Amino acid sequence: MTLKRLLHRLVAQLHIALVLIAYNAAASTDGSNHKPKKVDKRRKLDSHFNMKIFWKQGYRWQGRSSEKKWCMVCKTSRCLKGSGLKIDKCDRDDSRQHFYFDDGRIRSRRNTSVCLERRGRSIMLDNCDRSINQVWDTLRKDQPFQLKIPGNSAKCASQHHHPKQGEKVYMTSCKRSVRADSDKWVVY
């Protein structure tokens, strides 16, 4: 890795760390009119859900105007550390599609020791820790949400176009995903 690239990566990580510090400080301040949206901490680890790509009447995916339920799933059968994520037909009985909100992180139910972690454009499963790369902004169980980096509204977790089976989920341009109607997720 070149020195320039290493410095760029360090500056980006420092920026995310500063955003998280500001986010936590604002969340703990009473009376502020500019509090960030709260992370849903009420969900218990025994209350799992599928993460489905949001669809509404009027969307046309792959030339179809009827809803096709696409959910996030681990690429490996046991959701091991290092596994990537893809989309597949939603199946509430498939534990590879089950996740928990855990204090700003998204934890796998199939393997509760791993969480979704951003690595550049990739999203992988890694051991859950307090890494800034495992913190996600605006996790909601009551309405559609974008999976974003705190303080960075430009990048979202998506497959960035009309979904189809087996496509990789990764960090991509929110604008591009909005144009394809695939930028939001819902608890399913």
Side-chain angles (χ1 to χ4, degrees), residues 4-148:
K4 183 178 179 180
R5 201 169 193 188
L6 180 62
L7 285 173
H8 179 71
R9 180 175 282 174
L10 288 172
V11 168
Q13 288 181 345
L14 179 61
H15 174 74
I16 291 170
L18 291 173
V19 166
L20 286 174
I21 290 168
Y23 176 86
N24 289 332
S28 65
T29 304
D30 292 328
S32 170
N33 291 332
H34 303 293
K35 286 184 183 178
K37 292 179 182 175
K38 291 191 176 191
V39 172
D40 185 351
K41 297 180 184 179
R42 294 169 290 163
R43 265 216 192 244
K44 303 279 187 227
L45 284 178
D46 60 355
S47 179
H48 65 272
F49 56 86
N50 296 46
M51 278 201 302
K52 182 176 82 71
I53 299 176
F54 174 70
W55 183 91
K56 69 180 180 180
Q57 195 66 38
Y59 283 6
R60 288 187 64 81
W61 289 342
Q62 304 297 337
R64 296 182 182 194
S65 58
S66 59
E67 181 176 12
K68 185 94 168 184
K69 293 180 171 109
W70 295 111
C71 285
M72 186 181 296
V73 61
C74 305
K75 282 187 174 182
T76 62
S77 63
R78 296 188 334 196
C79 297
L80 298 174
K81 175 182 172 182
S83 173
L85 299 163
K86 64 181 181 176
I87 58 169
D88 205 347
K89 292 178 185 172
C90 293
D91 180 352
R92 290 191 169 146
D93 294 326
D94 184 352
S95 63
R96 297 174 312 131
Q97 293 185 16
H98 298 168
F99 297 94
Y100 305 101
F101 290 153
D102 183 18
D103 199 21
R105 297 174 297 178
I106 301 172
R107 187 182 291 264
S108 166
R109 177 181 181 222
R110 178 74 173 98
N111 178 358
T112 58
S113 67
V114 296
C115 291
L116 274 63
E117 180 172 294
R118 297 177 305 279
R119 294 184 187 165
R121 287 188 64 195
S122 295
I123 303 172
M124 310 292 286
L125 296 175
D126 202 355
N127 292 332
C128 295
D129 56 31
R130 294 289 170 200
S131 163
I132 57 175
N133 291 328
Q134 291 183 0
V135 177
W136 298 88
D137 196 19
T138 323
L139 303 176
R140 304 193 53 106
K141 66 179 182 183
D142 58 340
Q143 65 186 24
F145 58 91
Q146 291 178 317
L147 278 177
K148 297 188 295 189

